[in-house]
Amino acid sequence: MSNVTVCARFRPRSSKEFRDHNDGVCVRGIDAETFVFQDDKEDELTFSLDRVFYEESPQAAVYEFLALPIMRDAVNAINGTIITYGQTGAGKTYSMEGPGIQDCDEHNKGLLQRVVDGMFAQISSLQDIARYTVKLSMPSLSINEFISNSLRDLLDLSKGNIQIKETKTQGILLSGVTEVPVSDSAEALQHLCTGLANRAVGETQMNMSSSRSHCAYFLTIQQDSVKDKRVKTGKLILVDLAGSEKADKTGAEGRVLEEAKTINKSLSALGNVINALTSGSPSKASHIPYRDSKLTRVLQDALGGNSRMALLCCCSPSTSNASETLSTLRFGMRAKHIKASPRASEVKFAKSQEEPSSATKDEKCGRILEKMKERISNEDIKMLEEVFIHEGIISSLDSVEDVESAYEDIVSKTIQSLQQAIEELQLKVQKLETENKGIQEQALRNQEPGPVGKMSRFISSWYASFFTS
Ligand SMILES: Nc1ncnc2c1ncn2[C@@H]1O[C@H](COP(=O)(O)OP(=O)(O)OP(=O)(O)O)[C@@H](O)[C@H]1O
Ligand SMILES: [Mg+2]
């Protein structure tokens, strides 16, 4: 078990922070791992993380500490995920892309360009040992799509809603997402540029190029061993989250305000998953609410298990953002306690090295489909999947979305019919109450006779007493 690597990065103060708040800072560095944070009430809290990058820290330092080891492992078929998290305008996209994905100098290059460069450099040094194929995909949870609850493919916007599937053998899969083969850094950057141009951006007062979407960069690195024909695959995911924001501070209103609420909601879902993963006794399997948002669903494997993970908590050092910085740091401290068990994935495809027969038919088909995916298009794979299910070769590689929506359907239908039954019951109760009231009144009237009845009763009793006396 290893822990998640958690680092904090404090960006340089912005001109607005200088102008509005002089040079007040809420952070005092102690060393490369520890700093003192001063909150709104001037109370001091000491934080210790795996590494702290202060205002002057170069992009290369962040890459070398945070991303390089994970990239190296991914080339060796150990999955890895790198996430930038923090308040809007805190430096997440800057850390990921630098000032621009293509037009930035060596010094300013972000994690993305450095990871791609480093990965191809490592691959070329291993050419004698294995043949590598790298594929890139860029799913994005943009805000408009959040509302209609869909996941977008930034490399092909014509694909509407990317389905999330879960299989026993491969975990979470994004069915039908475009995976472009990339053979060198330049080609990868070209595709990244196309994808990023499609990423939704809006404007807030706080950050004029604010990311209004959570964007993930998936690099799937497959190695075919020259010696023994084994195939291994490592998945490297870089995630640039959209930033949380306080509407009153950023001046967000209308559509932008709605977007901010949606972003905050999905980030809360991420926080809830991390809380669930890090609280409770490890022996007790507790419920982890991955399904509460698409973001946590896409990151399920990275958060919950077979993946190395690094989190960069991006913060403003200005006193004006102290409360947001504190909440980002608390998020990071919590994530530090997630336990991960990354291990190399491996598929053997030589006949003598087939998987043990204990694998189910569905699992085997899943593996065959995955293998074929490397050679033929996703559409063909989808068709094959349907044919397999239709012919009864596999039961179903169920789409989680389908199951979820069917479940929601049944739940809402049940609720509807229950509500109808309650309404009918209420009407019946009302009717019965009215009838009951009428009967009671009638009974009372029968018990208490009118003046004529009273007189006749008096006469008959007088008459009786007269004859008996
Ligand atoms: N380490 C840094 N060095 C220099 N400038 C930085 C640094 N970090 C951030 N900036 C600048 O701060 C501004 C906001 O950064 P960025 O766009 O990365 O924020 P963000 O966290 O991605 O915000 P959002 O959540 O709104 O997308 C940008 O102008 C960026 O260039
Ligand atoms: Mg951003």
Side-chain angles (χ1 to χ4, degrees):
M1 288 263 188
S2 69
N3 282 337
V4 171
T5 302
V6 179
C7 303
R9 184 177 199 186
F10 294 97
R11 63 156 166 72
R13 275 154 293 164
S14 66
S15 47
K16 185 172 185 295
E17 286 168 341
F18 270 118
R19 194 180 61 232
D20 298 350
H21 306 277
N22 299 319
D23 55 356
V25 286
C26 58
V27 182
R28 191 176 75 249
I30 306 285
D31 57 30
E33 281 131 35
T34 311
F35 60 90
V36 173
F37 170 85
Q38 199 174 58
D39 71 12
D40 292 341
K41 294 176 201 122
E42 306 206 343
D43 288 336
E44 295 202 332
L45 299 164
T46 303
F47 282 91
S48 284
L49 296 166
D50 291 298
R51 187 56 56 98
V52 188
F53 302 101
Y54 297 103
E55 295 183 40
E56 67 288 351
S57 298
Q59 296 274 64
V62 181
Y63 167 70
E64 273 155 33
F65 186 85
L66 188 97
L68 180 62
I70 293 188
M71 180 279 293
R72 281 201 180 126
D73 273 355
V75 174
N76 283 323
I78 295 172
N79 296 340
T81 305
I82 298 162
I83 300 175
T84 56
Y85 177 92
Q87 165 194 17
T88 186
K92 299 178 292 295
T93 303
Y94 180 86
S95 299
M96 201 54 95
E97 299 169 21
I101 190 76
Q102 247 178 346
D103 35 72
C104 59
D105 58 26
E106 190 54 36
H107 179 73
N108 284 318
K109 277 199 300 196
L111 290 174
L112 207 46
Q113 299 97 315
R114 288 172 198 272
V115 160
V116 168
D117 287 349
M119 178 186 66
F120 282 110
Q122 201 188 334
I123 284 175
S124 78
S125 74
L126 297 168
Q127 285 301 341
D128 295 345
I129 305 164
R131 199 166 49 81
Y132 281 87
T133 33
V134 180
K135 284 180 184 167
L136 168 75
S137 50
M138 286 179 69
S140 154
L141 284 162
S142 92
I143 301 319
N144 292 331
E145 273 65 32
F146 265 136
I147 292 165
S148 63
N149 204 24
S150 70
L151 185 63
R152 244 171 22 144
D153 185 345
L154 289 188
L155 293 177
D156 183 355
L157 288 180
S158 69
K159 288 187 183 163
N161 183 15
I162 301 298
Q163 297 289 307
I164 304 171
K165 290 187 174 187
E166 188 174 13
T167 66
K168 281 187 195 130
T169 42
Q170 298 151 52
I172 296 292
L173 293 176
L174 302 181
S175 169
V177 74
T178 306
E179 289 184 294
V180 287
V182 285
S183 51
D184 55 35
S185 292
E187 197 180 357
L189 287 184
Q190 193 63 48
H191 288 295
L192 285 168
C193 276
T194 311
L196 282 168
N198 288 330
R199 190 179 180 190
V201 289
E203 280 188 5
T204 64
Q205 285 172 15
M206 220 154 164
N207 180 12
M208 293 302 277
S209 58
S210 177
S211 316
R212 304 288 77 200
S213 59
H214 304 301
C215 188
Y217 310 88
F218 280 64
L219 289 159
T220 310
I221 310 155
Q222 185 191 303
Q223 52 169 294
D224 294 53
S225 165
V226 171
K227 208 172 85 191
D228 55 14
K229 302 270 186 269
R230 286 175 182 212
V231 178
K232 290 183 186 176
T233 310
K235 202 181 276 174
L236 181 55
I237 312 174
L238 289 94
V239 186
D240 178 13
L241 293 173
S244 55
E245 62 183 71
K246 287 186 175 165
D248 51 346
K249 213 170 201 172
T250 56
E253 51 188 42
R255 182 182 60 85
V256 178
L257 177 62
E258 286 312 307
E259 290 175 354
K261 281 188 200 160
T262 319
I263 293 171
N264 291 349
K265 210 168 136 192
S266 64
L267 290 171
S268 306
L270 180 61
N272 293 342
V273 164
I274 288 180
N275 283 348
L277 283 168
T278 53
S279 55
S281 84
S283 56
K284 241 189 186 173
S286 53
H287 169 69
I288 313 292
Y290 291 117
R291 283 163 191 260
D292 284 3
S293 84
K294 294 244 170 173
L295 175 65
T296 48
R297 199 71 181 120
V298 171
L299 294 179
Q300 181 172 330
D301 289 340
L303 294 166
N306 180 21
S307 180
R308 286 195 64 176
M309 193 172 116
L311 179 70
L312 184 65
C313 295
C314 297
C315 307
S316 155
S318 168
T319 44
S320 59
N321 287 314
S323 71
E324 289 87 347
T325 293
L326 182 59
S327 95
T328 301
L329 294 171
R330 289 214 162 114
F331 180 90
M333 292 304 288
R334 192 87 202 190
K336 186 94 204 81
H337 298 289
I338 297 177
K339 298 278 181 221
S341 322
R343 53 184 187 274
S345 67
E346 189 166 318
V347 180
K348 301 166 189 173
F349 69 89
K351 202 155 192 195
S352 57
Q353 295 167 328
E354 262 173 8
E355 288 288 299
S357 57
S358 62
T360 65
K361 207 160 63 170
D362 286 10
E363 284 168 350
K364 282 180 189 164
C365 285
R367 255 178 260 143
I368 293 167
L369 288 173
E370 190 55 21
K371 187 75 205 133
M372 290 173 90
K373 223 182 233 180
E374 288 148 20
R375 309 269 178 259
I376 59 177
S377 74
N378 276 320
E379 280 71 29
D380 294 338
I381 283 290
K382 218 167 170 211
M383 191 195 70
L384 265 175
E385 208 176 283
E386 278 161 18
V387 172
F388 277 8
I389 293 166
H390 185 256
E391 295 299 320
I393 298 169
I394 50 174
S395 50
S396 160
L397 294 177
D398 274 332
S399 151
V400 172
E401 303 305 308
D402 292 347
V403 175
E404 274 176 354
S405 71
Y407 176 72
E408 272 167 24
D409 223 36
I410 292 169
V411 170
S412 80
K413 272 184 194 153
T414 314
I415 291 173
Q416 249 179 13
S417 63
L418 279 173
Q419 275 172 341
Q420 211 176 327
I422 289 171
E423 272 168 29
E424 278 167 17
L425 267 175
Q426 278 173 336
L427 279 176
K428 270 194 186 141
V429 168
Q430 248 176 17
K431 209 172 146 204
L432 282 172
E433 274 175 352
T434 323
E435 276 176 19
N436 198 24
K437 215 172 153 196
I439 293 168
Q440 277 177 345
E441 280 169 3
Q442 186 61 44
L444 269 175
R445 255 184 264 124
N446 289 346
Q447 274 172 11
E448 283 179 33
V452 180
K454 277 181 187 164
M455 181 59 79
S456 85
R457 237 193 260 168
F458 170 77
I459 292 169
S460 48
S461 67
W462 174 83
Y463 202 69
S465 64
F466 180 81
F467 282 105
T468 49
S469 60

